[in-house]
Amino acid sequence: MIQYRLRTAQSRHQSYVDHRHRPLRFVVGDRVFLQVSHMKGVMRFGRRGKLSPRYTRLFEILRAVRKVAYELALPRALSAIHPVFHVSILRRYVLDESHVLQYDSVELDDRMTFIEELVAILAR
């Protein structure tokens, strides 16, 4: 009798959880954001606390290790980190044309330096 009630309660709870659950699946070549760990008191990207960014830059998926683990293409600067991450700390990147940045060309002299010139004074 107690086992029956326990199974009923578990089944009811599972139905509440499954109602909003959506499995995340990625394929090789997808681009994803990697979540930054939330450690208290650590300065990340020049900001502390809740104003610090939650996700780092884009990474490409190299292969699926398991259904919930993916290997990412990390740069050399992050070579000390294991490249396999759980799906819960990844966020899919949706391509948006407004994300493309236009860079001005920089003219370099023969010593590979450039002179920075003032364009406009915005405030006193």
Side-chain angles (χ1 to χ4, degrees), residues 32-35 56-62 70-85 90:
V32 294
F33 290 108
L34 180 63
Q35 185 176 10
T56 59
R57 64 187 186 94
L58 288 174
F59 297 103
E60 185 178 352
I61 293 182
L62 295 179
Y70 294 93
E71 183 177 353
L72 302 181
L74 298 179
R76 286 188 183 264
L78 299 177
S79 63
I81 299 173
H82 188 66
V84 177
F85 297 94
L90 300 176

PDB file of all heavy atoms in Angstrom, residues 32-35 56-62 70-85 90:
ATOM      1  N   VAL A  32      27.574  27.324 -30.154  1.00  0.00           N
ATOM      2  CA  VAL A  32      26.930  27.431 -28.853  1.00  0.00           C
ATOM      3  C   VAL A  32      27.705  28.412 -27.973  1.00  0.00           C
ATOM      4  O   VAL A  32      28.891  28.658 -28.181  1.00  0.00           O
ATOM      5  CB  VAL A  32      26.852  26.063 -28.141  1.00  0.00           C
ATOM      6  CG1 VAL A  32      25.946  25.114 -28.871  1.00  0.00           C
ATOM      7  CG2 VAL A  32      28.222  25.458 -27.953  1.00  0.00           C
ATOM      8  N   PHE A  33      26.995  28.978 -26.998  1.00  0.00           N
ATOM      9  CA  PHE A  33      27.610  29.774 -25.952  1.00  0.00           C
ATOM     10  C   PHE A  33      27.898  28.846 -24.775  1.00  0.00           C
ATOM     11  O   PHE A  33      27.124  27.935 -24.499  1.00  0.00           O
ATOM     12  CB  PHE A  33      26.677  30.891 -25.471  1.00  0.00           C
ATOM     13  CG  PHE A  33      26.463  31.976 -26.475  1.00  0.00           C
ATOM     14  CD1 PHE A  33      25.268  32.105 -27.133  1.00  0.00           C
ATOM     15  CD2 PHE A  33      27.473  32.876 -26.759  1.00  0.00           C
ATOM     16  CE1 PHE A  33      25.054  33.111 -28.053  1.00  0.00           C
ATOM     17  CE2 PHE A  33      27.283  33.882 -27.684  1.00  0.00           C
ATOM     18  CZ  PHE A  33      26.075  34.005 -28.327  1.00  0.00           C
ATOM     19  N   LEU A  34      28.988  29.092 -24.059  1.00  0.00           N
ATOM     20  CA  LEU A  34      29.365  28.310 -22.893  1.00  0.00           C
ATOM     21  C   LEU A  34      29.088  29.130 -21.648  1.00  0.00           C
ATOM     22  O   LEU A  34      29.494  30.294 -21.563  1.00  0.00           O
ATOM     23  CB  LEU A  34      30.843  27.928 -22.964  1.00  0.00           C
ATOM     24  CG  LEU A  34      31.397  27.108 -21.829  1.00  0.00           C
ATOM     25  CD1 LEU A  34      30.708  25.749 -21.778  1.00  0.00           C
ATOM     26  CD2 LEU A  34      32.891  26.933 -21.992  1.00  0.00           C
ATOM     27  N   GLN A  35      28.381  28.552 -20.684  1.00  0.00           N
ATOM     28  CA  GLN A  35      28.008  29.269 -19.463  1.00  0.00           C
ATOM     29  C   GLN A  35      29.225  29.437 -18.560  1.00  0.00           C
ATOM     30  O   GLN A  35      30.019  28.521 -18.377  1.00  0.00           O
ATOM     31  CB  GLN A  35      26.925  28.496 -18.714  1.00  0.00           C
ATOM     32  CG  GLN A  35      26.408  29.221 -17.503  1.00  0.00           C
ATOM     33  CD  GLN A  35      25.261  28.474 -16.848  1.00  0.00           C
ATOM     34  OE1 GLN A  35      24.982  27.339 -17.185  1.00  0.00           O
ATOM     35  NE2 GLN A  35      24.610  29.111 -15.926  1.00  0.00           N
ATOM     36  N   THR A  56      30.042  32.948 -22.244  1.00  0.00           N
ATOM     37  CA  THR A  56      31.232  33.430 -22.932  1.00  0.00           C
ATOM     38  C   THR A  56      30.963  33.473 -24.420  1.00  0.00           C
ATOM     39  O   THR A  56      29.823  33.346 -24.852  1.00  0.00           O
ATOM     40  CB  THR A  56      32.430  32.505 -22.651  1.00  0.00           C
ATOM     41  OG1 THR A  56      32.105  31.189 -23.102  1.00  0.00           O
ATOM     42  CG2 THR A  56      32.766  32.469 -21.183  1.00  0.00           C
ATOM     43  N   ARG A  57      32.008  33.573 -25.194  1.00  0.00           N
ATOM     44  CA  ARG A  57      31.861  33.708 -26.643  1.00  0.00           C
ATOM     45  C   ARG A  57      31.423  32.402 -27.294  1.00  0.00           C
ATOM     46  O   ARG A  57      31.255  31.397 -26.625  1.00  0.00           O
ATOM     47  CB  ARG A  57      33.157  34.200 -27.246  1.00  0.00           C
ATOM     48  CG  ARG A  57      34.301  33.236 -27.084  1.00  0.00           C
ATOM     49  CD  ARG A  57      35.595  33.902 -27.558  1.00  0.00           C
ATOM     50  NE  ARG A  57      36.685  32.972 -27.542  1.00  0.00           N
ATOM     51  CZ  ARG A  57      37.059  32.262 -28.589  1.00  0.00           C
ATOM     52  NH1 ARG A  57      36.407  32.374 -29.718  1.00  0.00           N
ATOM     53  NH2 ARG A  57      38.081  31.441 -28.512  1.00  0.00           N
ATOM     54  N   LEU A  58      31.287  32.427 -28.604  1.00  0.00           N
ATOM     55  CA  LEU A  58      30.807  31.272 -29.366  1.00  0.00           C
ATOM     56  C   LEU A  58      31.880  30.204 -29.514  1.00  0.00           C
ATOM     57  O   LEU A  58      33.052  30.509 -29.702  1.00  0.00           O
ATOM     58  CB  LEU A  58      30.381  31.711 -30.761  1.00  0.00           C
ATOM     59  CG  LEU A  58      29.097  32.500 -30.851  1.00  0.00           C
ATOM     60  CD1 LEU A  58      28.904  32.971 -32.268  1.00  0.00           C
ATOM     61  CD2 LEU A  58      27.937  31.658 -30.421  1.00  0.00           C
ATOM     62  N   PHE A  59      31.434  28.953 -29.442  1.00  0.00           N
ATOM     63  CA  PHE A  59      32.304  27.817 -29.701  1.00  0.00           C
ATOM     64  C   PHE A  59      31.579  26.878 -30.654  1.00  0.00           C
ATOM     65  O   PHE A  59      30.357  26.801 -30.657  1.00  0.00           O
ATOM     66  CB  PHE A  59      32.639  27.063 -28.412  1.00  0.00           C
ATOM     67  CG  PHE A  59      33.399  27.897 -27.425  1.00  0.00           C
ATOM     68  CD1 PHE A  59      32.763  28.438 -26.326  1.00  0.00           C
ATOM     69  CD2 PHE A  59      34.751  28.131 -27.600  1.00  0.00           C
ATOM     70  CE1 PHE A  59      33.459  29.200 -25.412  1.00  0.00           C
ATOM     71  CE2 PHE A  59      35.453  28.892 -26.693  1.00  0.00           C
ATOM     72  CZ  PHE A  59      34.815  29.432 -25.597  1.00  0.00           C
ATOM     73  N   GLU A  60      32.351  26.154 -31.442  1.00  0.00           N
ATOM     74  CA  GLU A  60      31.776  25.201 -32.388  1.00  0.00           C
ATOM     75  C   GLU A  60      31.808  23.806 -31.794  1.00  0.00           C
ATOM     76  O   GLU A  60      32.758  23.432 -31.108  1.00  0.00           O
ATOM     77  CB  GLU A  60      32.568  25.220 -33.690  1.00  0.00           C
ATOM     78  CG  GLU A  60      31.979  24.348 -34.762  1.00  0.00           C
ATOM     79  CD  GLU A  60      32.764  24.431 -36.056  1.00  0.00           C
ATOM     80  OE1 GLU A  60      33.667  25.275 -36.156  1.00  0.00           O
ATOM     81  OE2 GLU A  60      32.457  23.642 -36.959  1.00  0.00           O
ATOM     82  N   ILE A  61      30.761  23.037 -32.052  1.00  0.00           N
ATOM     83  CA  ILE A  61      30.697  21.659 -31.569  1.00  0.00           C
ATOM     84  C   ILE A  61      31.464  20.758 -32.527  1.00  0.00           C
ATOM     85  O   ILE A  61      31.193  20.752 -33.725  1.00  0.00           O
ATOM     86  CB  ILE A  61      29.235  21.205 -31.420  1.00  0.00           C
ATOM     87  CG1 ILE A  61      28.575  21.992 -30.296  1.00  0.00           C
ATOM     88  CG2 ILE A  61      29.155  19.711 -31.168  1.00  0.00           C
ATOM     89  CD1 ILE A  61      27.171  21.622 -30.011  1.00  0.00           C
ATOM     90  N   LEU A  62      32.431  20.006 -31.980  1.00  0.00           N
ATOM     91  CA  LEU A  62      33.235  19.099 -32.794  1.00  0.00           C
ATOM     92  C   LEU A  62      32.604  17.717 -32.915  1.00  0.00           C
ATOM     93  O   LEU A  62      32.597  17.121 -33.978  1.00  0.00           O
ATOM     94  CB  LEU A  62      34.637  18.965 -32.209  1.00  0.00           C
ATOM     95  CG  LEU A  62      35.483  20.235 -32.210  1.00  0.00           C
ATOM     96  CD1 LEU A  62      36.834  19.961 -31.569  1.00  0.00           C
ATOM     97  CD2 LEU A  62      35.653  20.755 -33.620  1.00  0.00           C
ATOM     98  N   TYR A  70      29.004  17.161 -25.085  1.00  0.00           N
ATOM     99  CA  TYR A  70      29.517  17.572 -26.390  1.00  0.00           C
ATOM    100  C   TYR A  70      30.935  18.105 -26.246  1.00  0.00           C
ATOM    101  O   TYR A  70      31.263  18.759 -25.261  1.00  0.00           O
ATOM    102  CB  TYR A  70      28.632  18.650 -27.012  1.00  0.00           C
ATOM    103  CG  TYR A  70      27.262  18.139 -27.351  1.00  0.00           C
ATOM    104  CD1 TYR A  70      26.213  18.260 -26.453  1.00  0.00           C
ATOM    105  CD2 TYR A  70      27.008  17.523 -28.560  1.00  0.00           C
ATOM    106  CE1 TYR A  70      24.951  17.780 -26.750  1.00  0.00           C
ATOM    107  CE2 TYR A  70      25.753  17.046 -28.879  1.00  0.00           C
ATOM    108  CZ  TYR A  70      24.734  17.169 -27.965  1.00  0.00           C
ATOM    109  OH  TYR A  70      23.493  16.694 -28.277  1.00  0.00           O
ATOM    110  N   GLU A  71      31.755  17.822 -27.260  1.00  0.00           N
ATOM    111  CA  GLU A  71      33.117  18.344 -27.286  1.00  0.00           C
ATOM    112  C   GLU A  71      33.123  19.630 -28.090  1.00  0.00           C
ATOM    113  O   GLU A  71      32.600  19.687 -29.207  1.00  0.00           O
ATOM    114  CB  GLU A  71      34.063  17.328 -27.920  1.00  0.00           C
ATOM    115  CG  GLU A  71      35.500  17.784 -27.915  1.00  0.00           C
ATOM    116  CD  GLU A  71      36.446  16.759 -28.485  1.00  0.00           C
ATOM    117  OE1 GLU A  71      36.010  15.630 -28.775  1.00  0.00           O
ATOM    118  OE2 GLU A  71      37.619  17.103 -28.662  1.00  0.00           O
ATOM    119  N   LEU A  72      33.745  20.675 -27.518  1.00  0.00           N
ATOM    120  CA  LEU A  72      33.791  21.983 -28.159  1.00  0.00           C
ATOM    121  C   LEU A  72      35.186  22.282 -28.681  1.00  0.00           C
ATOM    122  O   LEU A  72      36.181  21.777 -28.154  1.00  0.00           O
ATOM    123  CB  LEU A  72      33.386  23.077 -27.168  1.00  0.00           C
ATOM    124  CG  LEU A  72      32.010  22.961 -26.532  1.00  0.00           C
ATOM    125  CD1 LEU A  72      31.768  24.136 -25.611  1.00  0.00           C
ATOM    126  CD2 LEU A  72      30.935  22.876 -27.580  1.00  0.00           C
ATOM    127  N   ALA A  73      35.265  23.112 -29.696  1.00  0.00           N
ATOM    128  CA  ALA A  73      36.545  23.571 -30.227  1.00  0.00           C
ATOM    129  C   ALA A  73      36.986  24.772 -29.396  1.00  0.00           C
ATOM    130  O   ALA A  73      36.517  25.888 -29.604  1.00  0.00           O
ATOM    131  CB  ALA A  73      36.396  23.949 -31.700  1.00  0.00           C
ATOM    132  N   LEU A  74      37.872  24.541 -28.444  1.00  0.00           N
ATOM    133  CA  LEU A  74      38.363  25.603 -27.573  1.00  0.00           C
ATOM    134  C   LEU A  74      39.645  26.197 -28.138  1.00  0.00           C
ATOM    135  O   LEU A  74      40.445  25.493 -28.753  1.00  0.00           O
ATOM    136  CB  LEU A  74      38.631  25.047 -26.172  1.00  0.00           C
ATOM    137  CG  LEU A  74      37.425  24.490 -25.423  1.00  0.00           C
ATOM    138  CD1 LEU A  74      37.850  23.945 -24.072  1.00  0.00           C
ATOM    139  CD2 LEU A  74      36.361  25.538 -25.246  1.00  0.00           C
ATOM    140  N   PRO A  75      39.872  27.508 -27.927  1.00  0.00           N
ATOM    141  CA  PRO A  75      41.124  28.118 -28.395  1.00  0.00           C
ATOM    142  C   PRO A  75      42.310  27.675 -27.539  1.00  0.00           C
ATOM    143  O   PRO A  75      42.142  27.073 -26.479  1.00  0.00           O
ATOM    144  CB  PRO A  75      40.849  29.620 -28.242  1.00  0.00           C
ATOM    145  CG  PRO A  75      39.826  29.709 -27.182  1.00  0.00           C
ATOM    146  CD  PRO A  75      38.978  28.477 -27.309  1.00  0.00           C
ATOM    147  N   ARG A  76      43.509  28.012 -27.988  1.00  0.00           N
ATOM    148  CA  ARG A  76      44.720  27.628 -27.247  1.00  0.00           C
ATOM    149  C   ARG A  76      44.752  28.231 -25.849  1.00  0.00           C
ATOM    150  O   ARG A  76      45.311  27.639 -24.933  1.00  0.00           O
ATOM    151  CB  ARG A  76      45.960  28.056 -28.012  1.00  0.00           C
ATOM    152  CG  ARG A  76      46.248  27.220 -29.213  1.00  0.00           C
ATOM    153  CD  ARG A  76      47.603  27.616 -29.776  1.00  0.00           C
ATOM    154  NE  ARG A  76      47.882  26.875 -30.975  1.00  0.00           N
ATOM    155  CZ  ARG A  76      48.604  25.767 -30.992  1.00  0.00           C
ATOM    156  NH1 ARG A  76      49.083  25.290 -29.875  1.00  0.00           N
ATOM    157  NH2 ARG A  76      48.824  25.154 -32.132  1.00  0.00           N
ATOM    158  N   ALA A  77      44.168  29.402 -25.666  1.00  0.00           N
ATOM    159  CA  ALA A  77      44.174  30.046 -24.346  1.00  0.00           C
ATOM    160  C   ALA A  77      43.423  29.208 -23.312  1.00  0.00           C
ATOM    161  O   ALA A  77      43.702  29.297 -22.120  1.00  0.00           O
ATOM    162  CB  ALA A  77      43.555  31.436 -24.442  1.00  0.00           C
ATOM    163  N   LEU A  78      42.480  28.387 -23.751  1.00  0.00           N
ATOM    164  CA  LEU A  78      41.705  27.537 -22.848  1.00  0.00           C
ATOM    165  C   LEU A  78      42.114  26.071 -22.972  1.00  0.00           C
ATOM    166  O   LEU A  78      41.328  25.174 -22.681  1.00  0.00           O
ATOM    167  CB  LEU A  78      40.218  27.687 -23.149  1.00  0.00           C
ATOM    168  CG  LEU A  78      39.626  29.082 -22.982  1.00  0.00           C
ATOM    169  CD1 LEU A  78      38.170  29.093 -23.397  1.00  0.00           C
ATOM    170  CD2 LEU A  78      39.774  29.558 -21.556  1.00  0.00           C
ATOM    171  N   SER A  79      43.343  25.814 -23.368  1.00  0.00           N
ATOM    172  CA  SER A  79      43.783  24.437 -23.581  1.00  0.00           C
ATOM    173  C   SER A  79      43.889  23.640 -22.287  1.00  0.00           C
ATOM    174  O   SER A  79      43.893  22.418 -22.313  1.00  0.00           O
ATOM    175  CB  SER A  79      45.125  24.420 -24.311  1.00  0.00           C
ATOM    176  OG  SER A  79      46.117  25.036 -23.505  1.00  0.00           O
ATOM    177  N   ALA A  80      43.955  24.313 -21.138  1.00  0.00           N
ATOM    178  CA  ALA A  80      44.041  23.610 -19.858  1.00  0.00           C
ATOM    179  C   ALA A  80      42.682  23.068 -19.410  1.00  0.00           C
ATOM    180  O   ALA A  80      42.609  22.278 -18.482  1.00  0.00           O
ATOM    181  CB  ALA A  80      44.601  24.538 -18.780  1.00  0.00           C
ATOM    182  N   ILE A  81      41.603  23.488 -20.071  1.00  0.00           N
ATOM    183  CA  ILE A  81      40.253  23.063 -19.711  1.00  0.00           C
ATOM    184  C   ILE A  81      39.869  21.855 -20.554  1.00  0.00           C
ATOM    185  O   ILE A  81      40.153  21.798 -21.753  1.00  0.00           O
ATOM    186  CB  ILE A  81      39.243  24.206 -19.951  1.00  0.00           C
ATOM    187  CG1 ILE A  81      39.619  25.401 -19.089  1.00  0.00           C
ATOM    188  CG2 ILE A  81      37.825  23.763 -19.667  1.00  0.00           C
ATOM    189  CD1 ILE A  81      38.785  26.625 -19.367  1.00  0.00           C
ATOM    190  N   HIS A  82      39.216  20.884 -19.920  1.00  0.00           N
ATOM    191  CA  HIS A  82      38.744  19.705 -20.647  1.00  0.00           C
ATOM    192  C   HIS A  82      37.660  20.142 -21.635  1.00  0.00           C
ATOM    193  O   HIS A  82      36.725  20.861 -21.259  1.00  0.00           O
ATOM    194  CB  HIS A  82      38.198  18.672 -19.661  1.00  0.00           C
ATOM    195  CG  HIS A  82      37.873  17.358 -20.295  1.00  0.00           C
ATOM    196  ND1 HIS A  82      38.841  16.546 -20.823  1.00  0.00           N
ATOM    197  CD2 HIS A  82      36.700  16.728 -20.502  1.00  0.00           C
ATOM    198  CE1 HIS A  82      38.272  15.453 -21.317  1.00  0.00           C
ATOM    199  NE2 HIS A  82      36.972  15.545 -21.135  1.00  0.00           N
ATOM    200  N   PRO A  83      37.725  19.740 -22.907  1.00  0.00           N
ATOM    201  CA  PRO A  83      36.824  20.289 -23.932  1.00  0.00           C
ATOM    202  C   PRO A  83      35.427  19.677 -23.982  1.00  0.00           C
ATOM    203  O   PRO A  83      34.632  20.055 -24.826  1.00  0.00           O
ATOM    204  CB  PRO A  83      37.566  19.996 -25.238  1.00  0.00           C
ATOM    205  CG  PRO A  83      38.346  18.773 -24.937  1.00  0.00           C
ATOM    206  CD  PRO A  83      38.745  18.881 -23.491  1.00  0.00           C
ATOM    207  N   VAL A  84      35.076  18.740 -23.099  1.00  0.00           N
ATOM    208  CA  VAL A  84      33.762  18.108 -23.124  1.00  0.00           C
ATOM    209  C   VAL A  84      32.881  18.760 -22.057  1.00  0.00           C
ATOM    210  O   VAL A  84      33.272  18.846 -20.894  1.00  0.00           O
ATOM    211  CB  VAL A  84      33.866  16.587 -22.895  1.00  0.00           C
ATOM    212  CG1 VAL A  84      32.490  15.957 -22.857  1.00  0.00           C
ATOM    213  CG2 VAL A  84      34.711  15.949 -23.988  1.00  0.00           C
ATOM    214  N   PHE A  85      31.680  19.194 -22.469  1.00  0.00           N
ATOM    215  CA  PHE A  85      30.781  19.914 -21.565  1.00  0.00           C
ATOM    216  C   PHE A  85      29.385  19.310 -21.607  1.00  0.00           C
ATOM    217  O   PHE A  85      28.939  18.806 -22.641  1.00  0.00           O
ATOM    218  CB  PHE A  85      30.703  21.395 -21.949  1.00  0.00           C
ATOM    219  CG  PHE A  85      32.015  22.107 -21.823  1.00  0.00           C
ATOM    220  CD1 PHE A  85      32.847  22.240 -22.917  1.00  0.00           C
ATOM    221  CD2 PHE A  85      32.415  22.614 -20.608  1.00  0.00           C
ATOM    222  CE1 PHE A  85      34.058  22.883 -22.803  1.00  0.00           C
ATOM    223  CE2 PHE A  85      33.631  23.261 -20.481  1.00  0.00           C
ATOM    224  CZ  PHE A  85      34.451  23.392 -21.575  1.00  0.00           C
ATOM    225  N   LEU A  90      25.341  24.709 -21.935  1.00  0.00           N
ATOM    226  CA  LEU A  90      25.458  25.206 -23.299  1.00  0.00           C
ATOM    227  C   LEU A  90      24.161  25.894 -23.715  1.00  0.00           C
ATOM    228  O   LEU A  90      23.085  25.502 -23.299  1.00  0.00           O
ATOM    229  CB  LEU A  90      25.742  24.058 -24.273  1.00  0.00           C
ATOM    230  CG  LEU A  90      27.010  23.256 -24.028  1.00  0.00           C
ATOM    231  CD1 LEU A  90      27.086  22.110 -25.011  1.00  0.00           C
ATOM    232  CD2 LEU A  90      28.231  24.128 -24.112  1.00  0.00           C
TER     233      LEU A  90
END
